[in-house]
Amino acid sequence: MVCGDLENNLDKMRLWNMEKYMRLAIEEAKKGIEEGQTPFGACIVKGGQVICCSHNTVWKDMDITAHAEINVLRKACKKLNTIDLSECEIYSTCEPCPMCFSACHWARISKIIHGARIEDAKQVGFNEIKISNELMKKLGGLKTEIIADFMREECLELFNLWSNKEDKKSY
């Protein structure tokens, strides 16, 4: 029985940590919204340590590729001085678009944890290609672990927060 309790406590601890990391991504997205950006945030974690977090800066940088995931991958590669992020996980407030999923693949991210779905972003006005990460994983024969809909409601709330802004801009 002690072993079962220990496993249960470890599972609770893992879940608590995952929630902590996703909350960091959510806070990054909120910062971006406050700065006139879009409602997307991401956080990279390696071995239980937060490497960096970022939000979308498409409008600030006038760079259509400046998605939260791309920004956080760039930061993590510079901070770790490598393009191999195989021991890292990414927490994203929304399912990565095909560009961002591909970048995660090329960086060898081991696990993608996301909240909202691509179709949710499309519903609030973003010009998304509705190809799920699971389909890209299947078509590419990839081993990347994907945890979908994690803290989905909290992540969907970011779309509401952004949608209520008078000066919001999608792409």
Side-chain angles (χ1 to χ4, degrees):
M1 190 62 167
V2 171
C3 189
D5 289 341
L6 181 60
E7 284 181 30
N8 189 32
N9 286 339
L10 287 173
D11 286 342
K12 285 179 185 176
M13 194 174 198
R14 277 189 213 102
L15 181 61
W16 182 85
N17 282 332
M18 289 175 66
E19 288 175 357
K20 177 176 75 171
Y21 305 140
M22 183 61 85
R23 287 192 198 293
L24 290 171
I26 290 169
E27 287 308 309
E28 276 296 315
K30 286 179 180 177
K31 280 186 208 171
I33 293 168
E34 290 170 12
E35 295 173 12
Q37 300 303 303
T38 51
F40 304 100
C43 182
I44 290 187
V45 176
K46 180 178 180 180
Q49 298 295 314
V50 174
I51 302 303
C52 53
C53 299
S54 194
H55 61 76
N56 184 301
T57 58
V58 166
W59 292 109
K60 175 183 163 245
D61 296 339
M62 283 299 157
D63 176 357
I64 200 63
T65 69
H67 293 195
E69 298 91 343
I70 298 295
N71 289 342
V72 81
L73 286 167
R74 287 175 178 153
K75 282 182 175 181
C77 287
K78 284 180 183 173
K79 186 170 182 177
L80 297 173
N81 197 34
T82 183
I83 60 168
D84 182 355
L85 303 179
S86 57
E87 296 176 17
C88 297
E89 303 173 346
I90 189 168
Y91 290 78
S92 181
T93 59
C94 189
E95 183 175 9
C97 73
M99 174 185 70
C100 293
F101 181 86
S102 295
C104 287
H105 164 71
W106 291 320
R108 293 179 169 80
I109 292 285
S110 63
K111 188 185 298 185
I112 297 171
I113 302 99
H114 70 80
R117 301 175 190 158
I118 287 177
E119 58 224 36
D120 298 321
K122 180 117 178 134
Q123 286 177 354
V124 295
F126 288 92
N127 188 25
E128 297 293 340
I129 300 171
K130 292 183 351 182
I131 300 173
S132 73
N133 287 190
E134 285 294 343
L135 179 58
M136 287 186 284
K137 175 183 173 178
K138 180 182 174 186
L139 292 173
L142 308 178
K143 293 182 172 137
T144 309
E145 184 179 349
I146 299 170
I147 298 175
D149 299 332
F150 186 73
M151 295 177 62
R152 185 165 188 258
E153 292 306 313
E154 291 94 327
C155 293
L156 285 173
E157 186 55 38
L158 293 167
F159 290 130
N160 293 333
L161 186 64
W162 175 80
S163 292
N164 289 329
K165 287 186 59 104
E166 288 184 27
D167 63 343
K168 70 180 176 287
K169 294 186 278 188
S170 63
Y171 49 83

